[in-house]
Amino acid sequence: MTDRGLGDDIPVYVISVAAELSGLHPQTLRQYDRLGLVSPGRATGRGRRYSMRDIRTLREVQRLSQEEGINLAGIKRILELEDEVEKLREHVFHLRNELDAARSAVARRSGGETGGGELLPVRRARVTIFNTSPPPEQDQ
């Protein structure tokens, strides 16, 4: 169990504790660090410091490797994609908040929340541009 006051991203565990918490050998943790699967923080003396998020990732790497039979290159790609998905979800969350705020602002400007503040579709106009320059001369 973790102390929620510390936060999941604060690197506090030395490699021996992280190895015990994750059920892996310290050499395995060093190998995963070299491969870029789990990159722990570093203390001033260059010692590795693992966060609780790192420990969970180590457990997931072990599960994917042992239970699913996925090689380390595949696991690295899975972790990268999961990280990208999480960032995109966060971005979508912020965009939705911005959209809600913009809709509220439009509703307030156009008569309040109840008085005709809904957005209406706008017709698109078609524009035709005629080429007014003479055609290029062709060599014979």
Side-chain angles (χ1 to χ4, degrees), residues 106-126:
V106 167
R108 282 191 304 276
R109 281 191 213 126
S110 62
E113 296 292 331
T114 58
E118 71 182 63
L119 297 176
L120 300 175
V122 177
R123 285 186 79 179
R124 293 180 185 231
R126 288 190 184 199

Side-chain angles (χ1 to χ4, degrees), residues 32-128:
Y32 289 174
D33 185 12
R34 280 191 293 276
L35 294 172
L37 290 170
V38 178
S39 300
R42 296 285 180 169
T44 53
R46 299 294 298 151
R48 292 173 174 88
R49 295 291 188 267
Y50 291 83
S51 68
M52 188 44 81
R53 183 181 308 274
D54 294 331
I55 304 293
R56 282 195 303 270
T57 303
L58 288 167
R59 290 175 183 159
E60 180 66 4
V61 169
Q62 182 183 30
R63 186 190 72 74
L64 289 169
S65 175
Q66 292 180 354
E67 294 177 17
E68 304 294 333
I70 300 172
N71 66 24
L72 295 179
I75 292 172
K76 183 175 183 180
R77 185 66 180 138
I78 288 170
L79 294 175
E80 290 168 351
L81 290 171
E82 286 177 345
D83 185 50
E84 185 177 345
V85 166
E86 184 58 34
K87 287 177 183 174
L88 289 171
R89 283 185 176 142
E90 187 175 324
H91 187 67
V92 167
F93 173 79
H94 291 296
L95 289 174
R96 283 185 177 152
N97 286 341
E98 286 181 35
L99 179 60
D100 289 344
R103 284 181 172 161
S104 294
V106 167
R108 282 191 304 276
R109 281 191 213 126
S110 62
E113 296 292 331
T114 58
E118 71 182 63
L119 297 176
L120 300 175
V122 177
R123 285 186 79 179
R124 293 180 185 231
R126 288 190 184 199
V127 177
T128 304

